[in-house]
Amino acid sequence: MNWITGLQNAIDYIENNLTEELDYTDIANKAFTSPFYFQRVFRVLCNCTLGEYIRNRRLTLAGSELSSSDAKVIDVALKYGYDSPESFSRAFTRFHGIAPSYAKMYGFKLKSFSRLSVKLILDGGNIMNYRIEKKDKIDIIVKKKSFSNDVGQNNEQLPKYWDDCRKDNTIDSLYKYATESGMFGGALIGICVEDTNKSEVTYAIGVEYNGADITDELNVEQIPACTWAIFESIGPMPTAFQDLLYKVYSEFFPTSEYHPCGSLDIQVYPNGDMHSPQYKCELWIPIEKNQ
């Protein structure tokens, strides 16, 4: 199944089950990918989170139903997944700008958030440098922290986390355990891993571990063996990297024979001026061939 078909299947599944409890794992399964990658791709391509899309679509349908029928507010609230009329009223008012009771009155305007439809549009024409490599499992040493699984929030929070780790000397401590001859050539790496509760991701800053005794508050983790698609980013951080993410998911995967798999990705940051227009780094994504 190709990338476009899988994403459309997932959106169709959401639309057909807006009045049911929706599990992110079930949604991602329709696209034959992990919840981690589906949520990331959805946010990058659709410019809203998966949760925002579901909430906005439910509130759109709820507003339409209240304005065109005799349905009671409490019944509509329960139908679209709200535990109480109060929580429904708050969400409805934030979205539509009026209370649910006003939706039944003539002359009050409601908002509509339209259904997504995936289309392959001739766009891009960009050159992306990438390579495909198989790698064995490796040990890394990291400092890690949990963040929201929202890509938009991550774009703001993760640069601050890097700054904090520089200021508290975590970066200097990590370099003591780096191996220059390893898979990442002694570079700093950022690793984003989906947590088991699916609502958060663990982000780790680290290096490939040289086996030395650990005296700092750091953790040794293992990256599993897999096949990687490795993309090159050129430009100042974090803007260049965020642009690369969009191109990878909107241009590379829709037209390639691969799809992302697993629940992590790796950013590789060699020494250099990260604010320079010539700065080069890499994005590593585990992949499988399409079936």
Side-chain angles (χ1 to χ4, degrees), residues 40 188-192 203 241 265-269 282-283:
R40 169 162 287 199
L188 280 171
I189 57 176
I191 305 173
C192 197
Y203 190 83
F241 191 83
D265 63 31
I266 301 174
Q267 305 106 46
V268 181
Y269 299 108
E282 293 180 336
L283 170 64

Side-chain angles (χ1 to χ4, degrees), residues 238-256:
T239 305
F241 191 83
Q242 293 167 4
D243 290 344
L244 175 65
L245 273 177
Y246 180 80
K247 292 176 183 177
V248 166
Y249 291 127
S250 66
E251 298 176 20
F252 176 79
F253 282 121
T255 57
S256 79

Side-chain angles (χ1 to χ4, degrees), residues 200-214:
E200 293 184 333
V201 295
T202 295
Y203 190 83
I205 297 174
V207 295
E208 189 169 352
Y209 181 44
N210 62 13
D213 292 337
I214 301 173

